Amino acid sequence: METSKKRSECPLSCSLDVFGDKWSLLIIRDLIFYKKGTYNDFLKSDEGIATNILASRLKALEENGIIEKLAHPESKSKILYRLSKKGIDLLPIIVEIYIWSDKYFSMPLEIKQIIKEAKKDKDKFVKQITKELKSQ
């Protein structure tokens, strides 16, 4: 389901309409690399997202088919978020952004290790993470 209004027919512009703000990409990052899945998990991220922005981005990502909402297995009052197939397909792009960022910015050791693994064999790395995300 595509709910975003397109600004143009440019593929980059269309993609950015869906996941192009920093908060959406950080939520996607948290789902991929930090195994976060609840609203409170996302609130605890270092970047300090405001609750209204988080709610808005989660809704937009769901409406655009990037994430899915599930019943939380341990609590009826919680919602669990996970990437959809469409969201998982963003993984190679996120990996490339990590590799590019490593070239120009200092990174914490934890992230350097992720990037090192990705650089060693990018295809294998993407396949392994994809497999893990699909099994959630």
Side-chain angles (χ1 to χ4, degrees):
M1 165 171 29
E2 276 185 50
T3 60
S4 293
K5 185 175 184 211
K6 293 181 184 178
R7 286 180 258 211
S8 75
E9 295 300 318
C10 168
L12 185 58
S13 178
C14 292
S15 299
L16 290 173
D17 287 340
V18 174
F19 62 81
D21 68 279
K22 73 176 181 179
W23 297 116
S24 294
L25 288 172
L26 291 172
I27 291 167
I28 293 166
R29 173 214 55 195
D30 285 351
L31 287 161
I32 292 172
F33 294 116
Y34 300 115
K35 310 302 183 228
K36 294 184 178 188
T38 67
Y39 190 87
N40 283 333
D41 289 342
F42 299 124
L43 283 177
K44 293 175 187 171
S45 293
D46 290 342
E47 291 80 14
I49 189 169
T51 56
N52 61 323
I53 303 261
L54 176 57
S56 168
R57 294 317 182 273
L58 288 169
K59 182 179 180 198
L61 288 168
E62 183 186 11
E63 287 175 350
N64 283 288
I66 303 297
I67 62 172
E68 302 168 332
K69 282 194 322 189
L70 306 165
H72 196 285
E74 298 168 11
S75 172
K76 291 181 180 183
S77 65
K78 288 183 181 179
I79 294 171
L80 193 61
Y81 296 93
R82 74 171 182 198
L83 290 168
S84 65
K85 180 182 179 336
K86 188 175 178 181
I88 292 170
D89 284 347
L90 290 169
L91 179 58
I93 297 165
I94 302 297
V95 169
E96 289 297 336
I97 292 171
Y98 265 53
I99 291 169
W100 177 85
S101 296
D102 184 48
K103 186 175 180 178
Y104 296 102
F105 305 106
S106 63
M107 302 281 154
L109 190 57
E110 174 187 345
I111 304 228
K112 284 253 185 221
Q113 188 58 39
I114 292 171
I115 294 167
K116 183 179 176 183
E117 284 296 312
K119 285 180 176 179
K120 198 182 327 178
D121 186 338
K122 207 181 310 177
D123 288 337
K124 182 180 175 184
F125 180 81
V126 167
K127 284 179 186 172
Q128 179 60 37
I129 300 289
T130 298
K131 183 180 174 184
E132 291 171 15
L133 290 169
K134 287 182 177 178
S135 70
Q136 291 179 346

